[in-house]
Amino acid sequence: MNYLLGIDIGTSGTKTVLFDKNGHTVASYTEEYPMAQPQNGWAEQNPEDWWSATCNGIRAVLKQSHIDAGEICGIGLSGQMHSLVLLDEKGDVLRPAILWCDQRTAVECEEIHERLGGRERYIAITANPALTGFTAGKILWVRKHEPDIYAKARHILLPKDYIRYKLCQVFATEVSDASGMGLLDVPHRCWSAEVLEKLEIQPEMLAKVYESPEITGRITEEAAALTGLKEGTIVVGGAGDNAAAAVGTGVVEDGKAFATIGTSGVVFAHTDQLSIDPMGRVHTFCCAVPGAWHVMGVTLAAGQSLKWYRDNFCDADKIEAQKLGVDPYDLMTAEAQNVPIGSNRLIYLPYLMGERTPHLDPDCRGAFIGLSGMHTRYDLVRAVMEGVTFSLRDCAEILRGMGVKSDVILACGGGGSSAFWRQMMADILQCPVATTVSKEGPALGVAILAGVGAGIYSSVPEACRQMIGVNAVQEPIKAHMDAYDAYYEVYRNLYPALKESYHQMAKL
């Protein structure tokens, strides 16, 4: 029996999953770690936490499965996108990683557009505007504000590619994750010499770019000793978390889409033809299928919104959940189901970390609109869920306007595991919603890529057809659609009404 290993270096934790060659989960382990917010709108993590979690995860799944490490024929890596990791000449980390949800680089993003001769020229090359979450602005920020650290930097990596370096001692990335750095010529799937020259970033600081199923390195003797893996095991390019989730849900051909509610929220559609929004409201990236792309809208604080609410206002639910041996989210959403659509005239704006699609505004922040003395914490729970789903509809509406449509949306991420939330997605997005049989998402996606790299499967679509099953769909309910439409119209009008206030508050 051949096995495949998928490792997903996420924002809240690293998930390590061992699969057989048919995509069935053999063993799984997740280790969480903290995120620091040293200033309002900032977000950082220690890359060594990712490496520790990776080593612990690999050892754990090997122990659980009782297999010989030599039976693992390939390893795939996924991870949070955009986050900046800087290494010195010895390969040591120079500073905490600046994460994808960090909003400190608004000035640097304006500078990037100016250096490239305007926003339009930059989008023509990278397929996206310079955004605060993307890596390029973070590089310029460190160079400007921490020149001593930048002077020591020799390597610029993304989170999963830092783990690749620790496993294989190679500096490599792949097209899907590299697309989110703001340095890649997305139409041509290579680093842009023009962008690097005008931003004064040395090309040798960047990793070699591969396609996602390509072999990028092999497990070193040192990494084998730390993890229990067999020296020489191949590691493929892998993919950024959303591109990996697309493979893990079978969204690898035209006409397929998924929506995820993880820390962030995404509506993602595959396309064999390059399609770019000239307004930059949605992202066009190279996808994990060689020669193809994907278009996606991103909301920054989806599952993070519900986690923030749980952590700060639901201690009673956490205590009760511990007594019952269940997840606090299950208790919270069960109570929220008893609240009517519209949360008793309460709307939540999920802008805890600023927002990308469709506003591209690092200054906007979360808000509850319509609070009254009659509201309970479960009204607020439902309002959070509805607000997050409205933000996904914002994304879906732009894709539809670009002619990118889907007959069924596959739900994934933590939010996708809730039947209640999936029905809400079907009703608000006005499209049937289904789930895949496997819940492993990005970890399965990169394991599939590893299977292609190892020669078990001839292509990514062929591997997905063999390894991924889909459950029955949940159809939208007409009465629910009409009720949500009324609240969505109010939701859409709130950001324009508050925009100037957000910017005023940011200056205080």
Side-chain angles (χ1 to χ4, degrees):
M1 174 68 78
N2 294 320
Y3 295 92
L4 300 165
L5 190 65
I7 304 171
D8 179 26
I9 301 95
T11 310
S12 58
T14 287
K15 187 171 190 177
T16 305
V17 188
L18 183 69
F19 301 92
D20 66 23
K21 65 180 181 180
N22 296 314
H24 300 131
T25 300
V26 177
S28 178
Y29 179 87
T30 299
E31 181 167 312
E32 296 185 351
Y33 32 70
M35 177 178 74
Q37 294 187 269
Q39 293 190 37
N40 187 8
W42 291 23
E44 299 182 348
Q45 278 180 334
N46 181 2
E48 291 300 326
D49 289 344
W50 307 334
W51 175 232
S52 176
T54 299
C55 291
N56 293 340
I58 295 170
R59 290 195 300 266
V61 297
L62 288 173
K63 183 177 180 180
Q64 290 174 31
S65 63
H66 304 292
I67 71 161
D68 186 287
E71 296 182 82
I72 297 175
C73 58
I75 300 169
L77 302 173
S78 175
Q80 51 172 297
M81 296 179 67
H82 316 304
S83 303
L84 173 66
V85 182
L86 291 174
L87 306 184
D88 65 15
E89 61 184 5
K90 296 180 180 178
D92 294 330
V93 175
L94 283 166
R95 72 172 321 284
I98 304 177
L99 300 191
W100 57 274
C101 53
D102 189 286
Q103 297 292 327
R104 75 183 73 178
T105 62
V107 171
E108 286 72 26
C109 289
E110 293 177 5
E111 178 184 346
I112 289 170
H113 289 150
E114 291 172 2
R115 283 174 174 253
L116 267 294
R119 176 187 172 99
E120 293 77 13
R121 177 56 186 162
Y122 186 71
I123 291 176
I125 299 170
T126 68
N128 302 279
L131 300 178
T132 50
F134 284 16
T135 319
K138 302 179 191 341
I139 297 169
L140 270 60
W141 187 93
V142 173
R143 187 168 67 195
K144 182 187 299 182
H145 296 277
E146 299 175 347
D148 292 345
I149 288 176
Y150 192 80
K152 298 176 184 176
R154 296 294 179 272
H155 302 283
I156 296 169
L157 293 175
L158 297 163
K160 80 175 194 319
D161 302 324
Y162 172 69
I163 298 303
R164 186 194 322 276
Y165 167 69
K166 299 292 283 186
L167 289 171
C168 306
Q169 289 296 299
V170 297
F171 297 108
T173 189
E174 47 69 47
V175 291
S176 72
D177 218 358
S179 295
M181 294 183 74
L183 304 173
L184 194 77
D185 181 336
V186 169
H188 297 99
R189 308 171 85 86
C190 62
W191 298 123
S192 168
E194 179 180 345
V195 172
L196 295 180
E197 177 184 359
K198 291 185 176 178
L199 298 187
E200 300 179 75
I201 297 172
Q202 300 300 315
E204 57 268 23
M205 296 179 73
L206 299 175
K208 182 178 178 180
V209 182
Y210 291 81
E211 289 291 339
S212 296
E214 286 189 282
I215 297 171
T216 58
R218 296 177 181 271
I219 298 299
T220 65
E221 180 182 2
E222 181 182 1
L226 291 170
T227 62
L229 292 168
K230 182 179 179 181
E231 182 181 355
T233 305
I234 66 165
V235 178
V236 300
D241 51 7
N242 291 306
V247 178
T249 52
V251 180
V252 294
E253 298 171 289
D254 275 356
K256 295 189 174 182
F258 77 80
T260 183
I261 301 175
T263 302
S264 61
V266 171
V267 177
F268 177 117
H270 178 96
T271 177
D272 289 335
Q273 300 297 320
L274 182 66
S275 179
I276 299 173
D277 175 25
M279 296 175 64
R281 296 167 299 172
V282 295
H283 309 322
T284 297
F285 292 158
C286 302
C287 75
V289 180
W293 292 265
H294 63 255
V295 183
M296 66 177 182
V298 178
T299 180
L300 293 179
Q304 184 183 0
S305 287
L306 196 58
K307 182 179 185 296
W308 164 80
Y309 189 78
R310 179 202 68 179
D311 290 348
N312 287 282
F313 305 106
C314 294
D315 285 348
D317 295 283
K318 289 190 283 186
I319 293 169
E320 183 66 17
Q322 188 172 24
K323 291 179 183 176
L324 297 175
V326 299
D327 191 316
Y329 289 123
D330 292 339
L331 296 183
M332 292 161 58
T333 56
E335 292 290 344
Q337 290 183 66
N338 298 322
V339 176
I341 287 174
S343 306
N344 288 310
R345 299 180 182 176
L346 179 65
I347 291 178
Y348 170 72
L349 303 182
Y351 309 142
L352 297 184
M353 304 299 297
E355 190 56 293
R356 285 196 201 166
T357 306
H359 306 309
L360 300 178
D361 188 348
D363 292 337
C364 64
R365 290 293 181 267
F368 285 100
I369 306 297
L371 273 173
S372 78
M374 61 85 66
H375 286 122
T376 71
R377 69 173 180 273
Y378 299 119
D379 293 312
L380 274 69
V381 169
R382 179 157 188 149
V384 167
M385 298 173 74
E386 290 179 345
V388 167
T389 313
F390 287 147
S391 73
L392 295 180
R393 180 164 171 179
D394 277 347
C395 300
E397 292 292 345
I398 294 173
L399 297 188
R400 289 165 181 163
M402 295 171 66
V404 180
K405 300 179 182 179
S406 177
D407 295 330
V408 176
I409 292 176
L410 294 164
C412 56
S417 65
S418 164
F420 172 53
W421 211 336
R422 290 198 305 273
Q423 186 61 55
M424 186 183 292
M425 291 170 63
D427 297 335
I428 291 176
L429 300 181
Q430 302 185 349
C431 181
V433 172
T435 58
T436 54
V437 173
S438 172
K439 306 301 181 188
E440 300 299 354
L444 175 59
V446 292
I448 290 172
L449 295 173
V452 176
I456 297 174
Y457 297 100
S458 61
S459 70
V460 177
E462 193 258 337
C464 288
R465 287 191 287 270
Q466 291 291 320
M467 297 176 71
I468 294 171
V470 178
N471 296 311
V473 301
Q474 289 178 244
E475 298 284 350
I477 299 169
K478 179 63 167 62
H480 293 182
M481 291 166 56
D482 293 342
Y484 280 123
D485 267 348
Y487 282 97
Y488 178 62
E489 282 304 306
V490 178
Y491 173 90
R492 289 179 64 239
N493 291 328
L494 287 173
Y495 171 78
L498 293 171
K499 180 178 179 179
E500 185 56 35
S501 296
Y502 284 136
H503 294 165
Q504 289 175 357
M505 289 180 67
K507 295 175 182 177
L508 295 178

